[in-house]
């Protein structure tokens, strides 16, 4: 069993009944989030990149709960310097954690952090991970890339979570193509409507995938999907 709860923007909680993980824990300042960083109790934090709408409250949550931040090496170094606990990885590498195996995938995007927004945090990533007997591909912030076909060939993806908001990431049409490349069973769109500049319609995305076997679930913040 895998329970996937959407906390707004790109932040998701995953639970298998034993372990809890959070991805891209942007809660403070997230207009879609009602959950506060202090309410989060997790074993691991997966962080795709250093942008404030992704690493978010990760350091604070790690310090309070002891949760390990799983991140690309440079971002892991950055959060460690701020007092968090981290597990450094990099793109193409995988590791068996208590809850399941996590592999880092490429993402075509940027990654920087800090008050200036320009502190170096390496390359951004996506994650393919196993939890509760399910395989999830969380693309992170990225444009469309042809290697998504390879990701779908290597692993049978149960759930794909991808951005549709355009401007900073894939828009709807490229996201539709990404789903066709990966061929997952289930799809959840993210990174839309948080701000006016990413005001994409998830219903349009879903309609454009009507003929595809993948089932699209549009989660409202604080709602969940159980697989
Ligand atoms: Ni970003
Ligand atoms: Mn973003």
């Amino acid at each position: 069993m895998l329970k996937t709860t959407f906390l707004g923007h790109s932040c998701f909680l995953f639970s298998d009944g034993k372990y809890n993980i959070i991805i891209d824990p942007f809660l403070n300042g997230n207009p879609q989030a009602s959950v506060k960083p202090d309410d989060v109790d997790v074993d691991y934090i997966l962080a795709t990149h250093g942008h404030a709408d992704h690493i978010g409250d990760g350091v604070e949550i790690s310090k309070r709960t002891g949760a390990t931040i799983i991140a690309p090496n440079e971002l892991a170094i950055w959060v460690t310097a701020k007092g968090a606990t981290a597990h450094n990885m990099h793109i193409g590498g995988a590791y068996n954690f208590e809850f399941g195996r996590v592999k880092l995938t490429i993402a075509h995007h940027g990654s920087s952090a800090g008050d200036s927004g320009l502190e170096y945090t390496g390359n951004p990533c996506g994650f393919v991970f196993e939890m509760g007997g399910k395989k999830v591909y969380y693309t992170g912030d990225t444009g469309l890339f042809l290697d998504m076909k390879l990701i779908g060939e290597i692993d049978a993806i149960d759930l794909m979570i991808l951005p549709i908001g355009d401007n900073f990431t894939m828009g709807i049409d490229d996201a539709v193509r990404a789903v066709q490349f990966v061929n997952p069973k289930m799809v959840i769109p993210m990174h839309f409507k948080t701000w006016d500049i990413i005001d994409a319609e998830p219903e349009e995305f879903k309609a454009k995938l009507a003929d595809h076997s993948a089932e699209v679930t549009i989660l409202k913040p604080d709602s969940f999907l159980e697989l």
Side-chain angles (χ1 to χ4, degrees):
M1 184 280 293
L2 179 66
K3 182 178 177 182
T4 302
T5 307
F6 183 43
L7 300 186
H9 193 52
S10 297
C11 181
F12 290 83
L13 270 175
F14 297 89
S15 178
D16 61 4
K18 184 172 183 194
Y19 294 104
N20 297 296
I21 69 174
I22 192 169
I23 294 194
D24 282 4
F26 169 49
L27 297 169
N28 264 332
N30 178 347
Q32 295 181 339
S34 64
V35 172
K36 296 288 161 220
D38 278 350
D39 302 330
V40 173
D41 187 14
V42 291
D43 305 291
Y44 291 90
I45 299 163
L46 275 63
T48 59
H49 64 295
H51 292 163
D53 60 321
H54 295 268
I55 189 61
D57 305 294
V59 169
E60 183 190 331
I61 295 168
S62 172
K63 283 162 118 170
R64 182 177 51 79
T65 64
T68 298
I69 299 179
I70 300 167
N73 182 59
E74 294 81 358
L75 178 57
I77 292 169
W78 187 86
V79 298
T80 301
K82 298 207 172 299
T85 306
H87 180 107
N88 306 38
M89 296 184 70
H90 234 308
I91 292 161
Y95 186 82
N96 292 320
F97 293 92
E98 297 159 295
F99 62 89
R101 188 168 177 84
V102 177
K103 186 176 185 183
L104 267 60
T105 60
I106 60 170
H108 291 307
H109 194 65
S111 182
S112 58
D115 292 337
S116 68
L118 284 173
E119 292 171 28
Y120 177 68
T121 48
N123 288 310
C125 75
F127 294 104
V128 171
F129 66 93
E130 294 169 2
M131 191 174 189
K134 303 294 175 189
K135 198 156 272 186
V136 179
Y137 175 31
Y138 178 99
T139 68
D141 279 7
T142 184
L144 179 66
F145 53 90
L146 188 59
D147 287 9
M148 284 179 175
K149 279 191 178 178
L150 184 60
I151 291 169
E153 273 177 32
I154 292 172
D155 287 301
I157 303 297
D158 294 296
L159 172 63
M160 181 178 187
I161 301 177
L162 78 173
I164 64 164
D166 222 337
N167 193 78
F168 301 111
T169 67
M170 288 183 276
I172 287 172
D173 288 343
D174 282 357
V176 165
R177 198 167 277 236
V179 170
Q180 291 164 344
F181 283 171
V182 174
N183 207 22
K185 289 199 186 91
M186 307 283 299
V187 179
I188 298 174
M190 64 173 173
H191 215 274
F192 62 92
K193 289 197 181 297
T194 319
W195 304 286
D196 288 345
I197 197 164
I198 53 172
D199 190 28
E201 280 304 330
E203 294 292 349
E204 183 189 335
F205 170 70
K206 184 172 181 167
K208 286 185 169 177
L209 281 165
D211 291 338
H212 193 276
S213 60
E215 188 182 329
V216 178
T217 300
I218 300 164
L219 287 182
K220 291 203 163 36
D222 300 324
S223 63
F224 66 89
L225 174 70
E226 227 170 71
L227 294 181

